[in-house]
Amino acid sequence: MRDPHQSLRSTAAGTVSAALIAGAAFGLAPAAQAAPAERPAAAATAGVRFVDIPGDGGTVLKANVVTPAGARAGTSYPAIVLPTSWAMPQIEYIAQAKKLAAAGYVVVSYNSRGFWQSGGEIEVGGPEDIADASKVIDWTLKNTPTDPDKVGMAGVSYGAGISLLAAAHDKRVKAVGALSGWGDLVESIYSGRTQHAQAGALLGGAGYLTGRPSAELKRILKDFLGSNLDSEDEMIAWGTKRSPTTYLDRLNKNGAAILLANAWGDTIFPPNQYASFYEKLTGPKRLEFRPGDHATAEATGLLGLPNDTWTTTQRWFDHYLKGEKNGIDKEPPVQLKSRSTGGYEGYADWKSVGATSKKIDLAGSTTIRANVDSGANGGIVMLSNTLDQFLKLPPVASMPLLPRRYAAVWQSERAEREQRVRGTAKLHTTVTSTKESGTLVAYLYDVGPLGLGKLVSNAPYTFHGKTPGKPFAVDLELFSTAYDVPAGHRLALVVDTVDPLYVEHNPSGAQLTFSSPGTDPSYVSVPLREQ
């Protein structure tokens, strides 16, 4: 039988290895060091104090504090706590912290445990990280002129996840700005029961390079990247414990105002899981999606440049912490920026995004062979969708040149008018495999007159324990998006079995047959915005 993660070795193992070698060679994975409680003000950047904050169990968390200029004794201000992103140093938010302080906030940013000079080990949003956030709030209330009734949290990526988890466990958190984060960690990197290989390798490698993974995390990474299905239940339980959606009841009861923002092409935390999480929130909430990959929509703001995501984040806090009547609570709470036009669209809720749908019938019976990349793929983590964001250059594939031996292809008729794809496309089909395990990847393409397809969306699907030769139904949600297909173009669905983004579970020599029984026709449903 073919090694189920053979394709992983050529795409992901190199990432981890490079990170480990670099970390060993240059000594970039620092150990926690003891330090004075606070550095002298003269050594700090103007307006910024660098401090040590005792986290859970006394673990030292390296932090910095920015207070409003001219803060007077006896005057209190709203505060915003910013946990750092995965692998980022404590100065990550300096530019935004200064802007927020100038607007009247006390801002405390701290290096998440296990990274850089903070103590402890990387726990990936575990109980220690949640407790750390509360300890930082304790310290902030004791050592800064903070109003205890006006505490918010925000962060990018890892900082977003910790902020949401903290808001579920600490009632003092009144508002959250969760940018490029996760609501469901399992659905983020294990959607369709398929390991997101490049994402997992990137996170693991960066963790080893800039911090100290815990023994538990090392074991989970080894089992995850090594396709150890004997540990699947343990891995899922580990991820579930670290998912804000697990604590929805607490989060809704505490009532914090939640802003969620993400990118359509986020290859670490795909948009579907954030939209699903948003729909389950019952308090004040807002959901924003923009073009880009993981954290690229917020990146310019971290450099102090104008940035829509950070502008909205400050408006969110201005309203829910300072009580300003800036109208953000009156705007449509779901805000989408199209990948094609760059324009914003507002919706009352996520369910309203794809008001209508177009079904493409997947007629006939098609058999493909596994183990070979047909040329259709989702691109490269952190690169392909960034090119789409800035240059409108998504991954492409030529429909006429895709080898039908390894790829199943269905195309719609040419559309007479523009089709504005909005939301989540859904695939329903019947599969018969020659082996009990397997992986398929579905792609939706915008196909021009010459047959060149631009990637609209994709998603993987893995099965285990199926009876060879016995048909079974597959229902798969592709990653949500907002993309305009020009008039005269076709939509195409392509399915193959290998994509460098994901781990492949097809045994050597496996074949997959896609059929459309009369009693259960196969189709792909594409959500469209009303014209």
Side-chain angles (χ1 to χ4, degrees):
M1 179 179 290
R2 187 176 186 268
D3 186 340
H5 56 283
Q6 180 177 348
S7 61
L8 170 64
R9 291 174 178 151
S10 62
T11 60
T15 305
V16 176
S17 299
L20 290 171
I21 293 170
F26 298 105
L28 292 179
Q33 298 179 0
E38 183 172 328
R39 299 180 186 178
T45 305
V48 180
R49 292 188 294 138
F50 290 91
V51 301
D52 290 347
I53 296 177
D56 184 48
T59 297
V60 174
L61 303 175
K62 296 293 182 176
N64 54 70
V65 183
V66 188
T67 54
R72 300 176 181 178
T75 302
S76 61
Y77 303 87
I80 299 175
V81 174
L82 302 169
T84 55
S85 304
W86 186 270
M88 292 295 286
Q90 62 167 302
I91 61 171
E92 175 185 11
Y93 301 114
I94 286 293
Q96 286 300 321
K98 289 183 175 180
K99 287 186 176 183
L100 289 166
Y105 293 93
V106 170
V107 185
V108 179
S109 173
Y110 70 95
N111 224 147
S112 303
R113 74 164 47 223
F115 286 105
W116 296 94
Q117 294 298 323
S118 281
E121 298 178 328
I122 303 171
E123 303 292 347
V124 196
E128 298 88 348
D129 293 300
I130 297 171
D132 282 347
S134 290
K135 291 290 186 181
V136 173
I137 293 174
D138 291 342
W139 185 95
T140 300
L141 294 177
K142 183 178 180 180
N143 295 278
T144 69
T146 292
D147 185 334
D149 295 322
K150 297 180 179 179
V151 176
M153 290 191 68
V156 175
S157 184
Y158 194 44
I162 291 176
S163 295
L164 289 169
L165 289 164
H169 290 81
D170 195 322
K171 296 179 180 179
R172 294 174 296 181
V173 180
K174 304 301 182 184
V176 172
L179 317 181
S180 290
W182 74 91
D184 189 325
L185 188 58
V186 177
E187 279 300 305
S188 293
I189 60 175
Y190 195 51
S191 69
R193 206 180 177 186
T194 309
Q195 299 103 306
H196 294 207
Q198 290 185 11
L202 179 63
L203 292 172
Y208 274 99
L209 180 63
T210 62
R212 299 167 302 283
S214 67
E216 183 182 33
L217 175 56
K218 290 177 182 178
R219 185 177 70 255
I220 291 294
L221 279 172
K222 180 180 179 181
D223 289 341
F224 180 81
L225 295 174
S227 300
N228 183 5
L229 290 178
D230 291 338
S231 297
E232 183 179 36
D233 289 343
E234 179 187 359
M235 289 187 286
I236 290 175
W238 179 88
T240 300
K241 185 177 182 180
R242 289 158 171 78
S243 298
T245 190
T246 301
Y247 311 101
L248 265 168
D249 289 346
R250 295 184 188 180
L251 196 57
N252 287 331
K253 182 179 179 181
N254 289 349
I258 307 295
L259 164 66
L260 305 174
N262 203 357
W264 292 119
D266 194 322
T267 45
I268 307 294
F269 303 128
N272 300 47
Q273 52 87 30
Y274 236 22
S276 176
F277 177 63
Y278 169 83
E279 284 288 271
K280 298 170 186 174
L281 294 170
T282 58
K285 59 183 180 179
R286 184 179 174 102
L287 176 67
E288 300 183 347
F289 284 128
R290 297 177 175 86
D293 206 313
H294 184 63
T296 62
E298 300 87 32
T300 55
L302 294 176
L303 300 175
L305 300 174
N307 181 276
D308 288 357
T309 308
W310 283 104
T311 296
T312 300
T313 301
Q314 182 172 330
R315 292 181 63 219
W316 190 253
F317 287 129
D318 286 347
H319 180 75
Y320 287 103
L321 292 184
K322 295 170 70 175
E324 292 186 4
K325 296 181 179 180
N326 56 17
I328 196 167
D329 58 320
K330 306 298 182 183
E331 298 169 359
V334 176
Q335 295 285 325
L336 312 182
K337 190 174 186 181
S338 168
R339 291 167 51 196
S340 302
T341 66
Y344 283 96
E345 302 165 359
Y347 299 85
D349 52 34
W350 177 248
K351 295 177 182 178
S352 302
V353 171
T356 63
S357 63
K358 174 180 182 177
K359 275 191 175 182
I360 301 173
D361 292 330
L362 310 181
S365 179
T366 303
T367 298
I368 61 173
R369 290 166 173 78
N371 314 130
V372 174
D373 189 342
S374 69
N377 64 66
I380 301 173
V381 65
M382 294 300 299
L383 175 62
S384 299
N385 292 323
T386 304
L387 292 175
D388 182 39
Q389 175 185 0
F390 293 107
L391 301 176
K392 300 291 190 295
L393 294 175
V396 298
S398 172
M399 296 302 108
L401 297 181
L402 287 176
R404 274 30 178 197
R405 183 182 181 90
Y406 304 110
V409 181
W410 297 267
Q411 297 191 68
S412 70
E413 298 296 324
R414 288 190 177 90
E416 296 182 356
R417 60 179 182 175
E418 180 184 62
Q419 301 176 87
R420 292 183 287 184
V421 180
R422 297 292 185 273
T424 309
K426 299 177 181 180
L427 168 66
H428 174 76
T429 189
T430 295
V431 176
T432 305
S433 175
T434 58
K435 306 290 184 179
E436 67 173 14
S437 295
T439 297
L440 60 92
V441 186
Y443 311 88
L444 185 66
Y445 283 100
D446 157 26
V447 183
L450 299 180
L452 185 66
K454 296 182 178 180
L455 187 65
V456 177
S457 184
N458 77 99
Y461 181 92
T462 293
F463 58 89
H464 297 289
K466 298 297 183 181
T467 302
K470 183 177 180 179
F472 60 93
V474 168
D475 287 286
L476 174 63
E477 288 191 351
L478 277 62
F479 299 135
S480 305
T481 193
Y483 181 97
D484 298 343
V485 180
H489 285 211
R490 304 174 187 267
L491 282 167
L493 182 80
V494 176
V495 181
D496 69 3
T497 63
V498 177
D499 189 314
L501 283 173
Y502 312 113
V503 172
E504 177 198 357
H505 290 267
N506 294 294
S508 180
Q511 297 184 29
L512 300 179
T513 298
F514 301 91
S515 58
S516 183
T519 56
D520 187 20
S522 295
Y523 62 87
V524 59
S525 177
V526 181
L528 301 175
R529 184 186 181 195
E530 292 181 342
Q531 302 295 323

